[in-house]
Amino acid sequence: MAKSLHQKYTFAKRDPQADDGYGNTLTGWVDQFTVRGDRQFLRGGEKVIAGRLEGRQPIIVTVRQSAVAHEICPDWRITDARSGETYNVRAVEPSKNRLYYEILCEAGVADG
């Protein structure tokens, strides 16, 4: 059964750039690709409720499996193309039917 993938998400990974002169590596985010997807806000469970009390919102972003989506890692971030909101990727799992990736993300946390 096909899912309705109405939102657009841009996936980015960290890109170490240069030394700042003090021995620190400067990093930035480099966009990798943009795909259509869907999101589902998580609502139940003690850990989820505790996270929301701390200002964090866990969500599941679903995207179709592809060669580019196969590269997504937990150190990446996702940006909602419509709202500009960013989510840190926490885990990437294939769906039960293996047609999609279900990506556990968190909004409202430090960038990275």
Side-chain angles (χ1 to χ4, degrees):
M1 181 170 151
K3 292 189 181 256
S4 59
L5 307 176
H6 295 294
Q7 281 91 8
K8 277 188 175 180
Y9 296 98
T10 300
F11 289 79
K13 69 177 181 177
R14 283 201 182 273
D15 181 39
Q17 296 171 350
D19 190 315
D20 67 356
Y22 298 99
N24 300 315
T25 302
L26 301 174
T27 60
W29 291 100
V30 177
D31 291 346
Q32 299 299 305
F33 56 89
T34 300
V35 294
R36 291 196 164 281
D38 191 26
R39 70 177 177 205
Q40 174 186 3
F41 291 94
L42 300 180
R43 302 198 193 302
E46 279 184 39
K47 188 168 184 156
V48 171
I49 291 169
R52 285 200 313 259
L53 289 173
E54 295 173 1
R56 296 178 293 154
Q57 174 61 60
I59 67 167
I60 301 287
V61 173
T62 303
V63 298
R64 197 175 311 279
Q65 280 204 21
S66 66
V68 292
H70 181 71
E71 302 295 321
I72 302 168
C73 295
D75 59 347
W76 285 32
R77 79 173 185 184
I78 301 173
T79 303
D80 184 322
R82 184 178 299 155
S83 70
E85 187 169 13
T86 59
Y87 308 100
N88 289 343
V89 175
R90 298 297 185 214
V92 182
E93 295 290 329
S95 63
K96 290 181 182 179
N97 62 9
R98 304 224 179 257
L99 296 175
Y100 302 94
Y101 283 116
E102 294 175 347
I103 305 161
L104 175 63
C105 304
E106 236 177 359
V109 293
D111 189 15

